[in-house]
Structures are given as C-alpha cells and as structure tokens.
Amino acid sequence: MKTIMITAPQSNEGKTLITLGLIRAFKNRGLDVSAFKAGPDFVDTSYLALASRKRAGNLDMHMMGEEGIEKAISMNKGEYGVVEGAMGYFDGIYNTFENSSYHISNMLNINAILVYTPKGEMFSVVPKIKGMVDFPKSKIKGIIFNKVNKSTYVLLKEIVEEHIGIKVLGYIESHEELNLGEGYRGLVQSMENKDAEGIIERTAEILVKTVDLDGIIKLMKDLKVSDYQYPKKRDIKVAIAYDEAFLFYYSENLKLLENICDVEYFSPIKDKEVPKFDLLYIGGGYPELYKEELSQNKTMINSIRKMAEEGGHIYAESGGFMYLVEDIEGYPMVGILKGKAHMTDRLQRFGYSNIRLREDTILGKKGERLKANEFHRSAIEIEDRPLFDIKKAKSERSWQCGYGYKNVLAAYSHINFLGNMKALNYLLDRIEKER
C-alpha cells in the first residue's frame, strides 16, 4: 500500500481540510484510498471516512502498540493510504515525541507532507521549516502552503526550494466557505454537518488545480500490508448503540466485533427497546445534548434495566457511562449505576492513561492492566466502589474510576481492543462460559 502522512507544525494549520480534499481528489481519480488518523481522535476519523467513502482507522502507539498499529492498517488496507497526523508533527505524550506523528511515520517508514500556514512572515518560514525537515529521522519530504495567494506562493516556493531543497507541492488560498465549523467540542460531528460532503468535494476540486497530486503519489512509500486474520467466529450476539448521542467508537473495535460476533446496531434515542444480546456495547458521544430525548424513551431504558438485572453483559465508555447512571442534569437515565452526571465548564480529564483493575471485572481479573484514553467535560457524582486505578501516562497524576453492577462495567476511559486483545478475549470467553 503506497502511503503518505499529512502533518503540520501545530494544530489548527488546516491539515484536516487539506487531508480530506486530497483523499477525495484521489478517490475521484478512481484510486482505492484508505484513510487513517494518528492518535485517539474520533471526530476527524468520521470526516476521513466520509472523504474516503469507507471506515477510517486510528494509529496510536499508546493505545495499540506497534503490533496493534500494523494490525489496524491490515484491517483497512487499500491501494493507497493517507494518514492525517495529530497536533504538531513532533508533539507526543507529555513533553516528548513519543506517540507523535513523527514517531509513527518513523515506525512505519513513510514520508510526510507538511501543511504550513504563514502568519505575517516570508523568509522566516525558511529556518522554521528547515528545522523540522533537518531534525534527525524527520520524514518530511514535501510542503503544501495553506491560505496564501498565488503570487505569495510563487515567492515562498522559490526560497524554500533554494534554501531547504525540499519539494513544494502546491498551495490553497483562503476560502471562507471551506469551513467544517466549530461544534460543541471541536469540529462539528460529520453526522450532523450537512455541508461536509460539499466542502470536501469543493476542496478536492481546488486542490486538483493548485497541488501536484502526482508529486504526492511519487512521495508515497510502499507499506507491506497483509490481510488481517480475525480471531475465530463466536456464537455471541452484540448490540451496539449508535446514533447522534453515541457515535464515538474506534473502527477497529467495531470491525473486531462485526467479524467475531453477530452485531446489531440500534438507537437509544429512536428505537423502542434494545435488541436481544449477549453483550451490549455503549460507546462515547454527546448524551448530554440529547438528554431529553434519551430520558423520554422509557421503553428503551426499561429494556436495558431488565437485561442488566438478568445478568446481561454491558460495557459502556464515557458517554455510555453517563447514560447508565441515574440522571444527566436532572433528566432520568437508565439508573443501573447510582450516580448523577453534570456538565462542567472545562475538561475534567484529557489524554492517555494506564488502568490497573482493582477487582475482577468483565474485562479481566484483578491486577490486569489496560491502555486507555479520556476526553470529557462532564463529572459524575457516584458513591459506589471504583474498580479502576488510573494513572495518567508520563505523569504521577492518578485517580479512580470504573463502576460495575452484576455484569455491567462502565467508565470514562476509552480503550482500543487492538491494544487490549486480552481484555476482549476475556470478555467473550466469560460470556460463553456464563451463558
């Protein structure tokens, strides 16, 4: 698979929009393109999926490890691969480049293209870009300038190619209409953004005229990708909540469950009751934005409560955790867990973490460890006994979370099963044994 990474010196440089446009431009050429996002982001992957017209994957060293990243690529292989970097090219966990786009591009041995947006500068771009290009083992081999006019681009191209000796591949002017929009927590969700398809297509049309697509393809490195061998098929029915309120799932988790088990998707907002299941999986999302609709669907709530009382296995992450407590800001929810959720004006947890199980759970026995990520502005007041000891990666900061009832487990943490296969197998083995 011929693969390239699109990166930037920092966040908010325009790399997401340019990545989407490039993917769609390649698709419009009839190329088979697979898209990936470096890091744990859910929102960008939804747009990457829209641009490539197939599910996008995550590549995350902390969540998956090197072996997991290779498996994530093999799950989503195509003729061409485009990886959108996370944050700045060198920005990793804490104050390091660990798990950065730079780290991942080196691990995969793929080239990177830098999206650079000049901010009141001309020749000053040269030493800035040169520092990133000349950093040991940097994979940056090309530049695309963002939000510049043609005459400025010509001048920038001349000095960069003369003083750095790197290929300048094109530019895109500033277009106010090419804006994916700011949402509740970052970009507007692709599911809710009615303009997303048009913006992606329009960006692709512009890039075809101003960016050297053939030059980008020439910079792509061949990545050896084999077919992913899924674990054995199991006679397990999995119900997965998926709608406007619950849409944060790693595609690797969904593909694993779809290929190992019998999966049925449903909407806690619109459907009358949960499908019959051996495992109910409720992912993250924005239940706080749909608390009234969720609360009003009493038949759904009652069906989930009934299954929990009967010993049904339920695993919930972040927004799913909020849905399982007694209420969200006064609106009654499922109430399996005795707690109350409310929103705050700032992030409560953000970033990578390492979990140690304090007791036996449906994901493993006491002492087992999981790799995870958190991102939430809500807080839950709960008096129950926590089941997770959690420590922030590269930090001494620690806290507790994870709550259970019978065969129910819920927490703010998101995990990617490719980096936690032991936990997934433990869960599925347990379901088979207890059925």
Side-chain angles (χ1 to χ4, degrees), residues 79-94:
E79 184 181 3
Y80 296 88
V82 178
V83 182
E84 182 194 354
M87 302 187 295
Y89 183 55
F90 297 97
D91 298 324
I93 300 176
Y94 189 53

Side-chain angles (χ1 to χ4, degrees), residues 141-419:
K141 304 297 180 183
I143 308 287
I144 295 174
F145 283 105
N146 184 37
K147 296 184 179 181
V148 299
N149 59 37
K150 185 176 181 179
S151 59
T152 302
Y153 167 71
V154 171
L155 296 174
L156 290 170
K157 177 179 170 66
E158 180 183 357
I159 57 175
V160 167
E161 292 187 339
E162 178 184 353
H163 294 278
I164 305 177
I166 194 170
K167 185 71 174 175
V168 180
L169 295 159
Y171 71 102
I172 183 169
E173 296 191 44
S174 181
H175 295 270
E176 292 299 324
E177 73 276 13
L178 301 183
N179 187 349
L180 294 172
E182 289 298 315
Y184 175 57
R185 285 188 281 180
L187 285 179
V188 175
Q189 292 296 310
S190 62
M191 181 184 287
E192 298 176 324
N193 192 339
K194 296 179 181 179
D195 298 326
E197 173 63 27
I199 290 171
I200 292 171
E201 191 63 42
R202 175 64 177 145
T203 304
E205 292 170 357
I206 293 170
L207 292 179
V208 166
K209 298 175 182 177
T210 61
V211 172
D212 182 4
L213 298 183
D214 291 326
I216 293 175
I217 290 174
K218 288 178 182 178
L219 287 174
M220 290 182 170
K221 296 284 289 287
D222 278 320
L223 197 61
K224 292 183 179 180
V225 181
S226 58
D227 290 328
Y228 181 72
Q229 299 299 314
Y230 286 93
K232 67 177 182 179
K233 190 78 175 178
R234 298 180 186 242
D235 183 21
I236 294 175
K237 293 182 179 180
V238 182
I240 301 179
Y242 196 93
D243 58 17
E244 299 90 336
F246 304 103
L247 39 70
F248 288 170
Y249 295 90
Y250 290 115
S251 67
E252 295 78 27
N253 290 1
L254 299 182
K255 286 183 178 181
L256 281 166
L257 291 172
E258 288 170 351
N259 283 275
I260 298 172
C261 307
D262 179 15
V263 168
E264 182 174 351
Y265 291 91
F266 74 100
S267 168
I269 294 176
K270 300 169 186 174
D271 293 329
K272 290 184 177 180
E273 59 183 26
V274 67
K276 289 184 179 180
F277 66 84
D278 298 303
L279 171 64
L280 170 58
Y281 182 18
I282 312 176
Y286 301 138
E288 64 272 20
L289 297 183
Y290 301 92
K291 54 183 182 277
E292 184 173 359
E293 294 93 327
L294 291 167
S295 182
Q296 288 174 348
N297 195 347
K298 300 298 183 184
T299 56
M300 175 60 68
I301 285 174
N302 290 336
S303 70
I304 295 175
R305 283 177 183 164
K306 182 175 182 290
M307 295 303 290
E309 290 295 343
E310 292 176 353
H313 289 77
I314 301 175
Y315 173 59
E317 298 175 320
S318 198
F321 177 25
M322 296 172 67
Y323 183 51
L324 294 186
V325 301
E326 293 172 293
D327 71 64
I328 298 176
E329 299 187 322
Y331 287 84
M333 294 292 144
V334 178
I336 295 171
L337 302 173
K338 304 308 176 186
K340 299 179 183 295
H342 65 274
M343 301 307 298
T344 70
D345 59 0
R346 61 185 178 85
L347 281 171
Q348 297 299 303
R349 298 272 187 262
F350 172 71
Y352 296 114
S353 60
N354 298 300
I355 298 170
R356 185 184 68 84
L357 301 182
R358 304 183 73 211
E359 298 182 18
D360 292 354
T361 74
I362 63 172
L363 290 182
K365 292 188 174 296
K366 179 180 178 180
E368 294 285 354
R369 298 180 182 274
L370 305 170
K371 298 287 189 179
N373 180 68
E374 285 192 36
F375 183 95
H376 59 95
R377 282 196 172 93
S378 66
I380 294 177
E381 298 172 6
I382 191 166
E383 296 181 0
D384 205 353
R385 182 177 67 257
L387 301 175
F388 294 174
D389 282 328
I390 305 176
K391 188 174 181 180
K392 188 174 178 65
K394 298 287 184 182
S395 171
E396 295 302 315
R397 186 180 177 191
S398 63
W399 61 95
Q400 294 178 326
C401 190
Y403 298 90
Y405 175 76
K406 294 188 175 181
N407 286 326
V408 177
L409 178 63
Y412 271 121
S413 303
H414 286 276
I415 69 170
N416 190 303
F417 288 133
L418 275 185

